[in-house]
Amino acid sequence: MKSPLTPPPAAGQASILVWDLPVRLFHGLLALSFAGAWLTAESERWRLLHVTLGYTLAGLLVFRVLWGLIGTRHARFTDFVRGPGAVRRYLAGLLRGQPEHAVGHNPAGALAILALLALGAASAVSGWAVYNQLGGEWLEEAHEIAASLMLAVVGVHVLGVVVASWLHRENLAASMISGRKRGAPEQGIRSAWRSVAALMLVAVLGFWWLQWQSAPDAAASANAGDGPVVQGHPARQSHTVSRNGRNSHGGSDSDGD
């Protein structure tokens, strides 16, 4: 079996399918979920959307780990996760302007993927615990730190994609959309696995629909005088706290949740 690190594809090589549709859909939905959750983090009005996108992100991470074990060739962790030596060699080549070419993820990209999986899991789990009042202010801070670190890794990853695209003379972002890169025919995958992607999309859209259905119930409960409500979950008042230390009724939050 050939190493995934190979010389840059020659002009005569064919366009091959590298990324299956589930991997591409995962990338798009993960970016959408993280961006949406980040933008709605400080808004009580959009709390349900924030929580929904956080749960979506968690589900996507679980799928990616499973697909990294049983998925197509270049989706598997065994194809792109390498040791420290491979990472050092790739980064050294990158600094020289002559990085090794990878048909799938390169070693530096693999580090970013692992970091995003770990930080995404930390952010999702801590967010779930905070939302369900299972921790104090320290856990809320941990949730914010994990999300901020994830944003930093995303920025580094995007910069790395831009630099690698320029040095390799191939549009890596476009290949994640089309699924195709130039390479030897035997390096491609046989199927895009559209059926798995379709099930994945149906699951995400179905979950979003169920979450949306809970929003009117929250408003009805609040109007009926059932007490404080946070986007569909009565009595979760303690986490409607803004950064200035005041709750939604203007009182101070002295006990840190």
Side-chain angles (χ1 to χ4, degrees), residues 11-120:
Q13 290 183 316
S15 173
I16 60 173
L17 183 63
V18 173
W19 304 122
D20 57 57
L21 195 53
V23 166
R24 286 178 275 157
L25 185 60
F26 164 82
H27 274 77
L29 289 175
L30 186 72
L32 176 64
S33 297
F34 179 69
W38 179 271
L39 293 174
T40 56
E42 300 300 322
S43 171
E44 291 306 324
R45 179 180 181 182
W46 298 104
R47 182 61 55 195
L48 178 61
L49 178 59
H50 177 78
V51 172
T52 299
L53 293 176
Y55 287 161
T56 303
L57 186 145
L60 290 170
L61 295 179
V62 171
F63 167 80
R64 187 62 184 92
V65 170
L66 292 175
W67 200 243
L69 299 175
I70 64 173
T72 56
R73 173 179 176 180
H74 299 294
R76 296 190 182 191
F77 296 124
T78 53
D79 182 76
F80 60 85
V81 176
R82 293 290 179 264
V87 176
R88 285 195 299 268
R89 287 193 301 273
Y90 181 82
L91 292 177
L94 194 67
L95 292 175
R96 294 193 305 268
Q98 297 177 329
E100 294 176 292
H101 184 268
V103 176
H105 292 298
N106 61 57
L111 279 183
I113 292 169
L114 295 179
L116 289 173
L117 291 176
L119 290 171

Side-chain angles (χ1 to χ4, degrees), residues 1 4-5 9 12 30 37 44 63 98 121 134 143 162 178 184 193 206 213-214 234-236 240:
M1 179 178 176
L5 294 177
L30 186 72
E44 291 306 324
F63 167 80
Q98 297 177 329
L134 300 180
H143 177 62
V162 172
S178 67
W193 285 89
Q213 292 301 107
S214 71
R236 288 182 178 170
T240 65

Side-chain angles (χ1 to χ4, degrees), residues 217-227 229:
D217 295 339
S221 297
N223 291 334
D226 289 341
V229 176

Side-chain angles (χ1 to χ4, degrees), residues 206-225:
F207 173 67
W208 287 355
W209 181 82
L210 288 175
Q211 288 291 92
W212 178 259
Q213 292 301 107
S214 71
D217 295 339
S221 297
N223 291 334

